[in-house]
Amino acid sequence: MTTTTMSIEDRFAAEQAQTDHDHHVPTAGAMTNHILANLHISIVKFHQVRWSVKGPLALSVRQLLAGYIDTYRRQFDTLGELLLDEGEVVSTTTKEFHDYNMLQESGAKKYLSAEDQVSELVHDADTHNLFIDRAIKLAEKEERPALASFLTDLRGTNNHIIRELQAVLGNDARDGLDEEDDDDDED
């Protein structure tokens, strides 16, 4: 049965079966769908912090987040198009973004201190990087240079966001993120 003669329900079921398979293998496309979901949720979290942050850091954090929202929206759109160019299935529903997202959300987080809200965003960007690094390796292994190149640029953007947010907190870029830093804290 070809896709043109399959029912809508059958086509979507086949897509879901392929997506589930790809997430268990994993493939560059599946890993990149996690990144897409993380970008989507990060945009929401950036808004949450931008709208709720208070105190001396509020103005600088709001200004930074306005730019990050624009950056992540562009990356989200470009990455979705790139996945389609690569012949991949792209998440298109809130449920899919929720299922593939690897960040933690909570409405209660808007009541955290400005420092804690910013620290959470730093850790979110670092979590993004874990998935980006995996996706780059998979894209290279699967010989997908356009995808690997975009993801490498995305990694650089996240590194910059981490450094800027860490600076707001009075930290160096990798403070509290690398295992060596965590081990040093225990001594």
Side-chain angles (χ1 to χ4, degrees):
M1 181 181 276
T2 65
T3 57
T4 55
T5 59
M6 293 173 67
S7 73
I8 291 171
E9 293 80 14
D10 290 342
R11 289 176 68 188
F12 186 65
E15 173 187 307
Q16 294 300 296
Q18 183 64 49
T19 299
D20 186 55
H21 174 267
D22 290 350
H23 276 85
H24 287 93
V25 171
T27 66
M31 193 62 62
T32 303
N33 256 311
H34 285 293
I35 296 164
L36 197 66
N38 289 343
L39 285 169
H40 179 76
I41 299 304
S42 285
I43 293 166
V44 172
K45 290 184 75 171
F46 286 162
H47 278 97
Q48 181 185 44
V49 174
R50 189 163 185 256
W51 293 337
S52 65
V53 68
K54 293 179 178 45
L57 299 179
L59 182 59
S60 60
V61 169
R62 284 187 189 117
Q63 290 172 341
L64 286 172
L65 293 183
Y68 299 162
I69 290 166
D70 290 342
T71 297
Y72 271 17
R73 281 182 176 155
R74 278 191 312 277
Q75 290 173 331
F76 177 83
D77 289 338
T78 303
L79 187 55
E81 294 289 334
L82 180 56
L83 282 170
L84 292 170
D85 293 346
E86 295 278 339
E88 293 292 335
V89 173
V90 179
S91 297
T92 58
T93 67
T94 303
K95 181 181 181 335
E96 289 171 316
F97 293 132
H98 177 268
D99 290 347
Y100 300 136
N101 159 54
M102 296 297 151
L103 308 177
Q104 300 299 313
E105 289 185 285
S106 169
K109 291 183 180 187
K110 66 182 162 232
Y111 299 107
L112 293 171
S113 69
E115 292 83 0
D116 287 345
Q117 288 184 43
V118 171
S119 180
E120 170 113 358
L121 297 179
V122 167
H123 284 86
D124 285 351
D126 198 50
T127 297
H128 275 283
N129 283 347
L130 296 173
F131 288 88
I132 292 168
D133 290 349
R134 290 177 193 148
I136 291 168
K137 289 177 185 167
L138 289 166
E140 289 170 345
K141 180 180 172 188
E142 295 171 19
E143 298 180 4
R144 294 175 169 214
L147 183 58
S149 176
F150 180 87
L151 293 169
T152 300
D153 289 344
L154 182 60
R155 178 64 148 93
T157 298
N158 275 0
N159 288 346
H160 183 70
I161 287 171
I162 288 169
R163 182 178 62 84
E164 285 189 330
L165 290 175
Q166 287 278 51
V168 168
L169 297 173
N171 297 330
D172 290 328
R174 299 301 305 165
D175 285 354
L177 298 176
D178 295 321
E179 289 179 353
E180 315 74 80
D181 290 341
D182 294 338
D183 292 342
D184 291 344
D185 292 341
E186 293 173 9
D187 294 335

